[in-house]
Amino acid sequence: DAHTFTVLRPYLSLATKLGSTLQQISPAQIELLRITYWGGIAELDTRPVTRAVQSGFLRRICRENVNDVNAPHFMKRMGIEVAVINSSTASDFTELVRVEAIAVGGKPYLLEGTLIGTGNVSRITRVNQSEVEVDLEGHLLFLENRDVPGIVGLIGTILGNYGVNIARMSLSRKKFGGAALTAGEG
């Protein structure tokens, strides 16, 4: 109905972007696309949002025109199972969408996202096991690196040498000197 569509509209954009970004960080062969919803969105009919995730995921890899209507057909044709979970457990955000691509062999690739503020800005809050905060606008860059002094300057210098302007950068690490994730938006 019209009211539900009005509520879901910002989530359709978030879902499409999460699907597209997940496809780019996942391997070519996946067997499962799992989508989990938390908060008020989990209480709504999430089928349109689920279709938007699928459409976003397939848009760059299908030769045919993919849209929200035919995306489930293409997923099935490619042998990718789709699982949807509407969770009632607590999350770090009032509303949250998690998309996971499970590779052949079981390795998961994960993104979480939410909408921020009255403008409903799409934001990634997690990439795999790393918490980040980056808008889903413009071009995104994810780098896995070691947490060492000077890495931010090095990344900035390399990108600057190629004329890339960084609008926002989010850093995440598990422990000092260990593996880290740098997420940049430009």
PDB file of all heavy atoms in Angstrom, residues 167-182:
ATOM      1  N   ALA A 167      36.711  12.334   0.506  1.00  0.00           N
ATOM      2  CA  ALA A 167      35.705  13.140   1.188  1.00  0.00           C
ATOM      3  C   ALA A 167      35.609  12.752   2.661  1.00  0.00           C
ATOM      4  O   ALA A 167      35.452  13.590   3.531  1.00  0.00           O
ATOM      5  CB  ALA A 167      34.345  12.971   0.513  1.00  0.00           C
ATOM      6  N   ARG A 168      35.688  11.454   2.929  1.00  0.00           N
ATOM      7  CA  ARG A 168      35.551  10.954   4.291  1.00  0.00           C
ATOM      8  C   ARG A 168      36.281   9.629   4.395  1.00  0.00           C
ATOM      9  O   ARG A 168      36.296   8.846   3.457  1.00  0.00           O
ATOM     10  CB  ARG A 168      34.068  10.756   4.603  1.00  0.00           C
ATOM     11  CG  ARG A 168      33.791  10.400   6.026  1.00  0.00           C
ATOM     12  CD  ARG A 168      32.297  10.384   6.321  1.00  0.00           C
ATOM     13  NE  ARG A 168      31.774  11.727   6.140  1.00  0.00           N
ATOM     14  CZ  ARG A 168      30.587  11.999   5.592  1.00  0.00           C
ATOM     15  NH1 ARG A 168      29.822  11.037   5.178  1.00  0.00           N
ATOM     16  NH2 ARG A 168      30.174  13.233   5.468  1.00  0.00           N
ATOM     17  N   MET A 169      36.879   9.391   5.561  1.00  0.00           N
ATOM     18  CA  MET A 169      37.594   8.135   5.778  1.00  0.00           C
ATOM     19  C   MET A 169      37.222   7.596   7.149  1.00  0.00           C
ATOM     20  O   MET A 169      37.110   8.348   8.105  1.00  0.00           O
ATOM     21  CB  MET A 169      39.105   8.367   5.694  1.00  0.00           C
ATOM     22  CG  MET A 169      39.928   7.108   5.762  1.00  0.00           C
ATOM     23  SD  MET A 169      41.700   7.432   5.667  1.00  0.00           S
ATOM     24  CE  MET A 169      41.887   7.765   3.932  1.00  0.00           C
ATOM     25  N   SER A 170      37.019   6.289   7.226  1.00  0.00           N
ATOM     26  CA  SER A 170      36.717   5.625   8.482  1.00  0.00           C
ATOM     27  C   SER A 170      37.739   4.523   8.695  1.00  0.00           C
ATOM     28  O   SER A 170      38.026   3.752   7.781  1.00  0.00           O
ATOM     29  CB  SER A 170      35.298   5.044   8.436  1.00  0.00           C
ATOM     30  OG  SER A 170      34.993   4.373   9.639  1.00  0.00           O
ATOM     31  N   LEU A 171      38.273   4.453   9.901  1.00  0.00           N
ATOM     32  CA  LEU A 171      39.299   3.467  10.226  1.00  0.00           C
ATOM     33  C   LEU A 171      38.771   2.516  11.289  1.00  0.00           C
ATOM     34  O   LEU A 171      38.057   2.930  12.199  1.00  0.00           O
ATOM     35  CB  LEU A 171      40.556   4.165  10.742  1.00  0.00           C
ATOM     36  CG  LEU A 171      41.100   5.285   9.858  1.00  0.00           C
ATOM     37  CD1 LEU A 171      42.186   6.055  10.586  1.00  0.00           C
ATOM     38  CD2 LEU A 171      41.608   4.729   8.548  1.00  0.00           C
ATOM     39  N   SER A 172      39.147   1.261  11.170  1.00  0.00           N
ATOM     40  CA  SER A 172      38.700   0.269  12.139  1.00  0.00           C
ATOM     41  C   SER A 172      39.820  -0.738  12.361  1.00  0.00           C
ATOM     42  O   SER A 172      40.466  -1.172  11.414  1.00  0.00           O
ATOM     43  CB  SER A 172      37.454  -0.453  11.595  1.00  0.00           C
ATOM     44  OG  SER A 172      37.015  -1.439  12.501  1.00  0.00           O
ATOM     45  N   ARG A 173      40.031  -1.089  13.626  1.00  0.00           N
ATOM     46  CA  ARG A 173      41.038  -2.105  13.929  1.00  0.00           C
ATOM     47  C   ARG A 173      40.537  -2.969  15.066  1.00  0.00           C
ATOM     48  O   ARG A 173      39.734  -2.555  15.890  1.00  0.00           O
ATOM     49  CB  ARG A 173      42.367  -1.473  14.297  1.00  0.00           C
ATOM     50  CG  ARG A 173      42.341  -0.744  15.617  1.00  0.00           C
ATOM     51  CD  ARG A 173      43.680  -0.180  15.975  1.00  0.00           C
ATOM     52  NE  ARG A 173      43.621   0.488  17.264  1.00  0.00           N
ATOM     53  CZ  ARG A 173      44.528   1.323  17.692  1.00  0.00           C
ATOM     54  NH1 ARG A 173      45.564   1.608  16.927  1.00  0.00           N
ATOM     55  NH2 ARG A 173      44.422   1.878  18.873  1.00  0.00           N
ATOM     56  N   LYS A 174      41.053  -4.184  15.099  1.00  0.00           N
ATOM     57  CA  LYS A 174      40.713  -5.110  16.180  1.00  0.00           C
ATOM     58  C   LYS A 174      41.643  -4.887  17.382  1.00  0.00           C
ATOM     59  O   LYS A 174      41.214  -4.877  18.513  1.00  0.00           O
ATOM     60  CB  LYS A 174      40.847  -6.555  15.709  1.00  0.00           C
ATOM     61  CG  LYS A 174      39.957  -6.890  14.547  1.00  0.00           C
ATOM     62  CD  LYS A 174      38.691  -7.539  15.052  1.00  0.00           C
ATOM     63  CE  LYS A 174      37.816  -7.970  13.916  1.00  0.00           C
ATOM     64  NZ  LYS A 174      36.888  -6.982  13.463  1.00  0.00           N
ATOM     65  N   LYS A 175      42.945  -4.741  17.078  1.00  0.00           N
ATOM     66  CA  LYS A 175      43.914  -4.498  18.137  1.00  0.00           C
ATOM     67  C   LYS A 175      45.064  -3.681  17.560  1.00  0.00           C
ATOM     68  O   LYS A 175      45.314  -3.701  16.351  1.00  0.00           O
ATOM     69  CB  LYS A 175      44.445  -5.803  18.751  1.00  0.00           C
ATOM     70  CG  LYS A 175      45.239  -6.663  17.795  1.00  0.00           C
ATOM     71  CD  LYS A 175      45.747  -7.907  18.468  1.00  0.00           C
ATOM     72  CE  LYS A 175      46.628  -8.658  17.482  1.00  0.00           C
ATOM     73  NZ  LYS A 175      47.345  -9.741  18.062  1.00  0.00           N
ATOM     74  N   PHE A 176      45.762  -2.972  18.408  1.00  0.00           N
ATOM     75  CA  PHE A 176      46.879  -2.143  18.002  1.00  0.00           C
ATOM     76  C   PHE A 176      47.916  -2.983  17.278  1.00  0.00           C
ATOM     77  O   PHE A 176      48.341  -4.023  17.752  1.00  0.00           O
ATOM     78  CB  PHE A 176      47.505  -1.470  19.234  1.00  0.00           C
ATOM     79  CG  PHE A 176      48.623  -0.547  18.879  1.00  0.00           C
ATOM     80  CD1 PHE A 176      48.367   0.712  18.387  1.00  0.00           C
ATOM     81  CD2 PHE A 176      49.943  -0.954  19.033  1.00  0.00           C
ATOM     82  CE1 PHE A 176      49.419   1.573  18.052  1.00  0.00           C
ATOM     83  CE2 PHE A 176      50.995  -0.111  18.698  1.00  0.00           C
ATOM     84  CZ  PHE A 176      50.717   1.158  18.216  1.00  0.00           C
ATOM     85  N   GLY A 177      48.286  -2.547  16.064  1.00  0.00           N
ATOM     86  CA  GLY A 177      49.302  -3.250  15.274  1.00  0.00           C
ATOM     87  C   GLY A 177      48.789  -4.436  14.503  1.00  0.00           C
ATOM     88  O   GLY A 177      49.532  -5.049  13.742  1.00  0.00           O
ATOM     89  N   GLY A 178      47.517  -4.773  14.637  1.00  0.00           N
ATOM     90  CA  GLY A 178      46.957  -5.936  13.945  1.00  0.00           C
ATOM     91  C   GLY A 178      46.297  -5.539  12.632  1.00  0.00           C
ATOM     92  O   GLY A 178      46.597  -4.502  12.040  1.00  0.00           O
ATOM     93  N   ALA A 179      45.403  -6.393  12.186  1.00  0.00           N
ATOM     94  CA  ALA A 179      44.671  -6.137  10.946  1.00  0.00           C
ATOM     95  C   ALA A 179      43.718  -4.964  11.144  1.00  0.00           C
ATOM     96  O   ALA A 179      43.142  -4.776  12.216  1.00  0.00           O
ATOM     97  CB  ALA A 179      43.893  -7.386  10.539  1.00  0.00           C
ATOM     98  N   ALA A 180      43.585  -4.174  10.095  1.00  0.00           N
ATOM     99  CA  ALA A 180      42.718  -3.004  10.145  1.00  0.00           C
ATOM    100  C   ALA A 180      41.974  -2.867   8.816  1.00  0.00           C
ATOM    101  O   ALA A 180      42.351  -3.478   7.819  1.00  0.00           O
ATOM    102  CB  ALA A 180      43.546  -1.747  10.410  1.00  0.00           C
ATOM    103  N   LEU A 181      40.930  -2.079   8.831  1.00  0.00           N
ATOM    104  CA  LEU A 181      40.176  -1.781   7.620  1.00  0.00           C
ATOM    105  C   LEU A 181      40.080  -0.265   7.485  1.00  0.00           C
ATOM    106  O   LEU A 181      39.758   0.430   8.444  1.00  0.00           O
ATOM    107  CB  LEU A 181      38.775  -2.377   7.679  1.00  0.00           C
ATOM    108  CG  LEU A 181      37.905  -2.051   6.458  1.00  0.00           C
ATOM    109  CD1 LEU A 181      38.308  -2.932   5.277  1.00  0.00           C
ATOM    110  CD2 LEU A 181      36.440  -2.223   6.763  1.00  0.00           C
ATOM    111  N   THR A 182      40.387   0.216   6.299  1.00  0.00           N
ATOM    112  CA  THR A 182      40.227   1.621   5.984  1.00  0.00           C
ATOM    113  C   THR A 182      39.126   1.713   4.935  1.00  0.00           C
ATOM    114  O   THR A 182      39.181   1.044   3.907  1.00  0.00           O
ATOM    115  CB  THR A 182      41.527   2.217   5.397  1.00  0.00           C
ATOM    116  OG1 THR A 182      42.567   2.039   6.361  1.00  0.00           O
ATOM    117  CG2 THR A 182      41.371   3.686   5.097  1.00  0.00           C
TER     118      THR A 182
END
